[in-house]
Amino acid sequence: MAPRPCKVIVAGGGVAGLSLALMLEKHGIDYLLLEAYPEVLATVGAGIALAPNGLRIIEQLGCYEDLQKCSAGADQVHFRKPDGETLWGLDEGLAETCIAKHGYTYMWMDRKSLLEVLYNNIADKSKVLPGKRVASVTHTDNGVDVVTTDGLTYSADIIVGTDGTHSKLRQEMVRHAEGLGLREDYAEEDKVAASYSCLFGMSDPVPGFPSRSLEFVTNEGFSYVLGAGPAGRVYWFLMEKMKQTYYGADIPRFSEEDKQRTLQEHWNDQVTPNVRLSDLYKRQLSTIYTPMPEFVYKKWHLGRIITIGDACHKVLPITAQGGNQALESAAALVNGLMTALSQASGSGPLSQSEIQLMFARVQNIREPRTFSIVETTHKRQRLDTMDTPELKEFLLTKYAGLMPGELWKRWAHTFTPAVSLDMLDLPARPKSVPFDDEALRNKNSNKALEAHL
């Protein structure tokens, strides 16, 4: 339990927001979550895949068994050529090997199912308020006042923006920076780049689509990521390189006509030898077509405001790290907050200087990792869309020969530096490739034991 008082407002009820709320509750930190939409669990998005680095945090929060009931673990993986034929693949054993190495395998689920699991595990639902869209944030002498569009005011020591790519909290942070003469440092939105678009969807079972699978289909200028979820549901992402890289306000917004045009252009794409995009769409439950910005902001916080998740770092979906990185950033923030609240330097609320130091430490931990994830994911997307003749030749003639070693190497590089919750027990899962923080904990535990003996 936090030894010093602290009130946190969380703005946004997506993966980052609900996971942060649950973490705060588990650590005894007072909070309110303000969700803009009328329903906390609005039907948004399609499918999401959680990787070992995110699932470890989910299990720390006591949600893993609940999530297993509404998800499907990947047990096969295929990298496919433009005609849908296998370039390289594992038809079975992916889950067993991945669990042996990292403790978990990839799990596919509806995005809404993940949100439901997080929300259902929050004991005090009165802390989660729907229909509370943030209108403004004002710094006071001792905290922040948050006014919502219904005219009510909520006060706290700090506010965390978990409100996605077009973050209102980010806008309020920039507005606060303007008042301090720091706008040039914080107005980063015009530098945000988008080179790819994504048409993503969720479909009822499609005959012939592999069960419990993780699928990558390569092509010139576009590629697919697909996964089989619970009860045979199929999640699919069509990534396409746009005509140019757009920045900031010039990033386009797509219409329904744009979506239909893209569907027709790719209607006969083979995603497996027996399944086309048209087969997926005919059984679709939902589809969304949108540009995919990629960024890691240089400024995550100012005063008593900090942003995490898509509000400050956004990654392409091909490596399935968006939700996982949101979980890591929420965990890092709670770790930092608990460390600050445990300092013996005071017994009252955190001072402005303590908050600034804590926020800076959180960003110092997370910014290099998220930047690396965004950068390596962009390179991977360029490979799958064969962005150059050299990449095309490498992919079609040499890539398969590097498998599965390259796959396990890349996944280990992605998973092992992950953040977990310092104050909660780590799941006792044997693994041949331990996470870095687990290795450090074991080392420190051994030293303590030796000192005691």
Side-chain angles (χ1 to χ4, degrees):
M1 302 292 285
R4 295 170 64 181
C6 184
K7 178 70 172 287
V8 180
I9 287 178
V10 181
V15 175
L18 285 172
S19 64
L20 177 59
L22 182 55
M23 292 175 196
L24 292 170
E25 183 177 79
K26 293 279 187 183
H27 289 76
I29 299 173
D30 192 18
Y31 79 93
L32 279 178
L33 187 153
L34 307 179
E35 166 54 43
Y37 289 99
E39 297 179 8
V40 175
L41 301 174
T43 304
V44 292
I48 186 171
L50 288 187
N53 53 316
L55 290 169
R56 185 173 63 142
I57 295 171
I58 290 292
E59 189 162 19
Q60 282 190 294
L61 293 172
C63 299
Y64 186 69
E65 290 185 2
D66 289 344
L67 199 62
Q68 281 185 304
K69 296 173 184 176
C70 58
S71 63
D75 193 41
Q76 53 181 315
V77 60
H78 301 101
F79 294 82
R80 298 184 181 276
K81 295 181 287 186
D83 59 3
E85 295 288 348
T86 301
L87 179 67
W88 177 86
L90 285 174
D91 291 329
E92 60 182 14
L94 176 70
E96 181 181 359
T97 304
C98 198
I99 290 169
K101 286 179 176 289
H102 303 293
Y104 309 86
T105 188
Y106 274 92
M107 290 171 59
W108 284 100
M109 68 214 71
D110 289 12
R111 187 180 186 85
K112 186 177 181 181
S113 296
L114 173 57
L115 299 181
E116 286 176 342
V117 167
L118 292 169
Y119 178 71
N120 290 340
N121 276 272
I122 294 172
D124 187 354
K125 302 292 194 298
S126 70
K127 298 288 188 180
V128 181
L129 307 179
K132 297 293 181 180
R133 186 177 297 275
V134 172
S136 66
V137 178
T138 303
H139 282 72
T140 65
D141 291 340
N142 300 310
V144 286
D145 287 342
V146 181
V147 178
T148 51
T149 53
D150 58 4
L152 296 180
T153 300
Y154 301 88
S155 299
D157 295 291
I158 64 173
I159 181 166
V160 185
T162 56
D163 49 345
T165 307
H166 304 290
S167 168
K168 175 63 176 178
L169 263 292
R170 179 78 198 176
Q171 296 170 23
E172 287 300 287
M173 192 162 68
V174 173
R175 187 171 68 85
H176 183 52
E178 287 178 350
L180 299 173
L182 299 173
R183 175 176 169 76
E184 286 299 313
D185 293 333
Y186 282 83
E188 302 181 60
E189 284 79 358
D190 288 343
K191 301 174 185 176
V192 170
S195 301
Y196 297 91
S197 64
C198 182
L199 174 62
F200 54 96
M202 178 169 63
S203 300
D204 275 333
V206 175
F209 191 84
S211 63
R212 300 191 67 196
S213 67
L214 181 59
E215 306 284 324
F216 301 95
V217 186
T218 65
N219 216 311
E220 291 189 68
F222 64 94
S223 69
Y224 286 86
V225 182
L226 309 98
R233 183 164 289 179
V234 181
Y235 309 110
W236 44 277
F237 304 77
L238 165 58
M239 300 295 300
E240 186 168 28
K241 189 173 184 180
M242 294 191 289
K243 295 178 181 178
Q244 66 182 77
T245 298
Y246 297 91
Y247 294 90
D250 292 332
I251 296 174
R253 291 176 180 263
F254 296 143
S255 64
E256 178 64 23
E257 290 73 20
D258 294 325
K259 182 174 78 172
Q260 293 301 323
R261 188 182 309 112
T262 297
L263 277 167
Q264 291 306 312
E265 289 174 357
H266 293 275
W267 193 248
N268 292 315
D269 289 354
Q270 297 283 166
V271 296
T272 75
N274 303 314
V275 178
R276 299 174 184 264
L277 174 63
S278 55
D279 299 316
L280 298 171
Y281 189 73
K282 288 173 184 176
R283 294 172 178 263
Q284 61 91 19
L285 298 168
S286 66
T287 54
I288 298 174
Y289 183 43
T290 180
M292 295 301 296
E294 304 169 70
F295 59 85
V296 178
Y297 285 134
K298 294 180 180 179
K299 300 290 186 180
W300 292 23
H301 60 90
L302 180 63
R304 293 172 180 266
I305 304 174
I306 188 169
T307 55
I308 63 171
D310 284 356
C312 71
H313 49 75
K314 180 77 170 176
V315 61
L316 296 175
I318 193 169
T319 56
Q321 278 299 308
N324 294 284
Q325 291 307 305
L327 287 164
E328 284 194 42
S329 288
L333 178 57
V334 172
N335 289 343
L337 188 54
M338 286 299 292
T339 298
L341 293 173
S342 300
Q343 296 297 319
S345 57
S347 57
L350 295 174
S351 67
Q352 178 71 54
S353 60
E354 287 177 306
I355 290 170
Q356 284 298 293
L357 182 60
M358 182 265 291
F359 283 171
R361 286 174 174 167
V362 171
Q363 181 172 345
N364 287 341
I365 289 169
R366 291 293 298 144
E367 183 183 359
R369 174 153 165 77
T370 52
F371 184 83
S372 175
I373 293 286
V374 169
E375 185 177 49
T376 55
T377 298
H378 184 83
K379 290 179 180 178
R380 170 66 198 287
Q381 184 61 64
R382 292 188 70 238
L383 176 65
D384 278 32
T385 49
M386 306 181 192
D387 277 8
T388 66
E390 292 79 13
L391 287 173
K392 178 181 179 181
E393 180 186 7
F394 172 77
L395 183 63
L396 296 179
T397 64
K398 300 177 182 178
Y399 191 58
L402 300 175
M403 295 296 181
E406 181 62 26
L407 178 72
W408 298 122
K409 178 182 176 182
R410 187 170 67 235
W411 284 5
H413 178 76
T414 300
F415 304 151
T416 56
V419 173
S420 63
L421 290 158
D422 292 342
M423 301 289 184
L424 298 184
D425 291 338
L426 286 169
R429 287 179 171 267
K431 54 184 74 71
S432 62
V433 185
F435 291 87
D436 293 346
D437 61 357
E438 291 181 352
L440 182 61
R441 281 199 198 188
N442 291 336
K443 182 179 179 181
N444 291 338
S445 178
N446 290 337
K447 282 184 177 180
L449 180 61
E450 290 172 2
H452 178 73
L453 295 174

